[in-house]
Amino acid sequence: MAAEKKLTLSVIKADVGGWVGHCATHPDMLVRAQEHLDKAVKQGMLVDAKALNCGDDMELIMTHHRGENNTEIHEFAWDTFLDLTELAKRLKLYGAGQDMLADAFSGNVKGMGPGVAEMSFVERKSEPVIIFMADKTSPGAWNLPVFKMFGDPFNTPGLVIDPSMHRGFRFRVLDIFENKEWILSCPEDMYDLLVLIGASGRYLVERVYRKKDNEIVSVASSQKLGLIAGRYVGKDDPVLIVRSQSGFPAVGEVLEPFAFPHLVEGWMRGSHHGPLMPVSFPDARPIRFDGPPRVIAAGFQLCEGKLIGPVDLFSDVAYDDARKEASKIATYMRRHGPFEPHRLGLHEMEYTTLPQVMAFIFEKSAIPRRSDLEDELYKLYPHLKEIRVVDPGIKDFEAVQKTIAREAAHYVQEIAWEGVKIGISCGKTLYYVVTYLEQERLTNPHIYPLSLTRIFVMPGLTSNSLVGMMSTKYPDAIAYNLPSMPVTSRAEYEKQIKANPELQKIYQDIWNVDIMLLAIGHLAVDKPGFMALAQQELNLSAEQLAAKGVVAEINHTPINAQGEALIDKKDKDLGALTDRIIGIMAPELREKAAEENKYVVAVAGGLEKTEALRACLKGKFFNVLITDAYVAEALVKG
């Protein structure tokens, strides 16, 4: 068939603002959307178009001759949704623009938030098309009804008695987690097909073709918002296009699967299973517990690209029993409260709001240790007198930081004694360490800053600020600060404090604390250490520092891959910077780490810091290491 003869039917949807929570679309939004569509028809971009809604989702139903994935059509839809977002903001609608996940249009709305279902075909003599729109559910909701339409003879007798359908249909199935696809035919591949699509949270029926001539008959949106955004931003609320009659399932066969309100994922916060209730257009307002999930069916007769309709197909009173059954199922499921199977399983909850809650719970859990990795690290680095490797469970950098910080806080509380002198460096990891220290657990601690280098990035994470924060944990603590002075070098600072014996004593005492808490920095200039100092003072980028051999820092001292402190001034830039470092530098840390009665504790983790940590281990700048299993494995493997 010639491409120019084909008509393209595009359904592009987005949630750009809910009227009273998530239940409906404001009438002004529908009017504005239709104005955009009418203008595009008048300009000749579209043949015809309708704006409909299901719950708080806006659907743009468009016919045109530009083919699937057309940039102009998708950009038009994107711009329309942006304008609707602005209107939603003015109306103070809930979740204005929540499906618009990209900053700017990039050629195709797929992967940018909106859901898309498109198909191109040559119109038959009579072309009935049904567009299903759902709210408070995900694309997997179509798996069961689409299988019944095109693979189940108990639903679709035409598969048995209609010669034009008797050979069956071909299903295109997507694995949305691993980006794989399968083409499976019914009836011969039926069992294989059900193996996949029965797991509707992962495998989706995206397209269906008639086997005898490979004619497209159905297409579903398959975008998963959680996978696009990496977090919960609302359910996907999918759309489905189905052609019917004359060699395809009859309208009644297409609609029949929805007489069974099967369980789908979605409902409240996208975190629950509930029945998919078939409703008429006016009843597509999911209100009870933000649901239960709804589906509407808009029937159109296509005529030279014109959308004749819609007919509200689920307004049929024959679906009243399905609605009653759905209400009973909803009540039954709701009685489970936060328990499965009403709430989704943990795997499905990964892209809902649950991970944020799990982060709070995690902070109350026991910390698993990896003694096998600790043993391997002892063999590689025998100068360490204590190694603690914890398993954070996930590779998220902040989760790793928090896990090792909790272990470090426990460790400090284990080894500390009354009147212990503790020195603390700077950084986000040590901030978490202080956070996890238990109130009043230590008795009469003396707390000192290990550095004073003037850096204006993240000032709340400097040694002085962490000393103050830590001292609030203990009513009998004695905290010391190093005052900031308008000097440009360590030598100038030490010269000035000689005039104040009390201050000079504090400065000298820092070298003799019992426990030193240190973080290790890698090449990133948005940290409150040497990297930030280089950016602030000499505008040196991470790439420029790397070219100078810097791979790490410890208490503001730059370190190369061989574990050497870069303070010999062979490089004028590094020399100028290290002159500004006030506090204990790397060679002095090495001396203290070699003393039997000193605890020089490095708290560092996250795969980003692997090479930085390896370099500092070579330099023997600490004698206690607290890190995570991912870094430990990388260090062991070399």
Side-chain angles (χ1 to χ4, degrees), residues 137-189:
T137 187
S138 64
W142 303 134
N143 281 11
L144 187 148
V146 168
F147 168 74
K148 294 183 75 68
M149 292 174 203
F150 301 105
D152 182 3
F154 283 81
N155 178 90
T156 305
L159 294 168
V160 176
I161 62 177
D162 185 342
S164 63
M165 287 197 291
H166 189 72
R167 288 180 59 187
F169 291 86
R170 189 175 288 113
F171 296 73
R172 180 173 183 254
V173 179
L174 304 181
D175 178 343
I176 58 173
F177 287 98
E178 294 190 6
N179 198 28
K180 297 177 182 177
E181 66 178 68
W182 289 263
I183 303 294
L184 298 168
S185 297
C186 279
E188 61 270 29
D189 296 330

Side-chain angles (χ1 to χ4, degrees), residues 234-474:
K235 282 318 278 185
D236 313 287
D237 307 327
V239 293
L240 171 70
I241 304 172
V242 181
R243 299 168 70 192
S244 64
Q245 305 290 155
S246 303
F248 299 144
V251 169
E253 292 171 323
V254 172
L255 296 172
E256 180 62 15
F258 296 94
F260 167 53
H262 68 292
L263 291 175
V264 297
E265 65 175 43
W267 209 345
M268 173 62 73
R269 292 188 173 88
S271 304
H272 296 80
H273 286 114
L276 187 61
M277 179 185 285
V279 296
S280 62
F281 293 174
D283 291 328
R285 297 188 305 271
I287 296 174
R288 180 186 175 186
F289 198 60
D290 277 2
R294 307 294 167 95
V295 58
I296 61 174
F300 292 95
Q301 201 75 38
L302 289 178
C303 180
E304 304 299 329
K306 295 293 183 180
L307 293 159
I308 312 301
V311 175
D312 184 356
L313 296 172
F314 285 144
S315 64
D316 184 358
V317 294
Y319 286 94
D320 286 350
D321 284 345
R323 290 186 269 273
K324 289 178 183 178
E325 185 177 6
S327 291
K328 290 180 181 178
I329 295 170
T331 297
Y332 172 77
M333 296 299 287
R334 282 296 305 124
R335 286 178 179 171
H336 289 80
F339 288 84
E340 298 178 21
H342 182 33
R343 196 185 79 181
L344 300 184
L346 288 179
H347 178 72
E348 290 86 356
M349 294 285 281
E350 183 178 354
Y351 289 95
T352 71
T353 52
L354 184 67
Q356 299 167 43
V357 177
M358 291 296 288
F360 300 137
I361 299 173
F362 175 76
E363 294 183 6
K364 302 175 183 178
S365 64
I367 307 174
R369 294 267 297 274
R370 288 289 302 274
S371 59
D372 57 327
L373 292 172
E374 291 171 357
D375 292 342
E376 292 295 325
L377 288 176
Y378 276 124
K379 294 175 186 176
L380 290 172
Y381 306 105
H383 67 279
L384 296 176
K385 64 181 180 182
E386 181 79 27
I387 301 174
R388 297 199 174 189
V389 176
V390 295
D391 189 347
I394 55 176
K395 292 184 179 179
D396 176 75
F397 185 61
E398 187 171 13
V400 170
Q401 279 186 310
K402 289 183 175 181
T403 307
I404 61 175
R406 286 176 62 211
E407 182 63 30
H410 293 170
Y411 178 73
V412 169
Q413 289 166 169
E414 285 178 18
I415 65 172
W417 54 91
E418 182 176 353
V420 67
K421 295 179 180 179
I422 300 175
I424 189 166
S425 185
C426 62
K428 190 70 170 288
T429 304
L430 296 182
Y431 166 83
Y432 287 133
V433 173
V434 175
T435 300
Y436 289 125
L437 289 170
E438 296 177 24
Q439 295 279 356
E440 303 183 22
R441 178 70 178 271
L442 304 185
T443 303
N444 192 31
H446 295 234
I447 310 169
Y448 296 82
L450 293 180
S451 60
L452 179 65
T453 306
R454 289 169 56 87
I455 296 170
F456 306 120
V457 176
M458 302 172 72
L461 301 181
T462 63
S463 286
N464 274 338
S465 61
L466 293 184
V467 166
M469 179 180 167
M470 187 173 174
S471 67
T472 64
K473 298 270 183 173
Y474 318 106

Side-chain angles (χ1 to χ4, degrees), residues 11-303:
V11 182
I12 304 181
K13 57 75 55 180
D15 179 354
V16 288
W19 187 27
V20 191
H22 293 287
C23 71
T25 298
H26 194 282
D28 290 356
M29 299 279 280
L30 279 166
V31 170
R32 178 70 64 86
Q34 192 62 53
E35 289 174 352
H36 280 278
L37 293 171
D38 290 344
K39 183 177 180 181
V41 171
K42 186 175 181 180
Q43 293 174 343
M45 175 184 289
L46 304 176
V47 177
D48 201 6
K50 303 282 185 183
L52 293 178
N53 77 289
C54 182
D56 58 353
D57 291 285
M58 179 73 68
E59 278 84 9
L60 307 180
I61 302 170
M62 303 170 284
T63 58
H64 54 91
H65 295 290
R66 296 171 181 254
E68 298 173 31
N69 299 316
N70 179 265
T71 297
E72 288 78 14
I73 298 297
H74 282 230
E75 186 171 19
F76 162 75
W78 179 262
D79 290 343
T80 299
F81 290 138
L82 285 181
D83 185 51
L84 294 175
T85 295
E86 292 305 310
L87 176 58
K89 290 177 180 178
R90 289 197 293 274
L91 293 170
K92 293 189 175 181
L93 300 183
Y94 188 78
Q98 74 171 30
D99 282 6
M100 311 298 280
L101 303 182
D103 295 327
F105 181 75
S106 58
N108 190 303
V109 297
K110 289 184 177 180
M112 298 175 66
V116 183
E118 295 181 295
M119 61 164 66
S120 296
F121 53 89
V122 174
E123 272 190 31
R124 298 169 292 165
K125 290 182 180 179
S126 180
E127 189 67 69
V129 174
I130 303 171
I131 298 173
F132 295 95
M133 293 156 271
D135 190 23
K136 304 301 180 284
T137 187
S138 64
W142 303 134
N143 281 11
L144 187 148
V146 168
F147 168 74
K148 294 183 75 68
M149 292 174 203
F150 301 105
D152 182 3
F154 283 81
N155 178 90
T156 305
L159 294 168
V160 176
I161 62 177
D162 185 342
S164 63
M165 287 197 291
H166 189 72
R167 288 180 59 187
F169 291 86
R170 189 175 288 113
F171 296 73
R172 180 173 183 254
V173 179
L174 304 181
D175 178 343
I176 58 173
F177 287 98
E178 294 190 6
N179 198 28
K180 297 177 182 177
E181 66 178 68
W182 289 263
I183 303 294
L184 298 168
S185 297
C186 279
E188 61 270 29
D189 296 330
M190 179 185 295
Y191 297 159
D192 296 333
L193 175 66
L194 291 173
V195 166
L196 298 179
I197 67 174
S200 57
R202 175 166 181 167
Y203 300 100
L204 309 179
V205 178
E206 193 255 350
R207 288 177 180 261
V208 180
Y209 302 88
R210 184 167 58 189
K211 198 188 305 181
K212 74 169 188 175
D213 54 11
N214 210 38
E215 181 74 4
I216 184 72
V217 59
S218 175
V219 62
S221 61
S222 57
Q223 292 74 36
K224 292 278 284 186
L225 287 176
L227 296 181
I228 296 169
R231 65 188 190 282
Y232 180 66
V233 290
K235 282 318 278 185
D236 313 287
D237 307 327
V239 293
L240 171 70
I241 304 172
V242 181
R243 299 168 70 192
S244 64
Q245 305 290 155
S246 303
F248 299 144
V251 169
E253 292 171 323
V254 172
L255 296 172
E256 180 62 15
F258 296 94
F260 167 53
H262 68 292
L263 291 175
V264 297
E265 65 175 43
W267 209 345
M268 173 62 73
R269 292 188 173 88
S271 304
H272 296 80
H273 286 114
L276 187 61
M277 179 185 285
V279 296
S280 62
F281 293 174
D283 291 328
R285 297 188 305 271
I287 296 174
R288 180 186 175 186
F289 198 60
D290 277 2
R294 307 294 167 95
V295 58
I296 61 174
F300 292 95
Q301 201 75 38
L302 289 178
C303 180

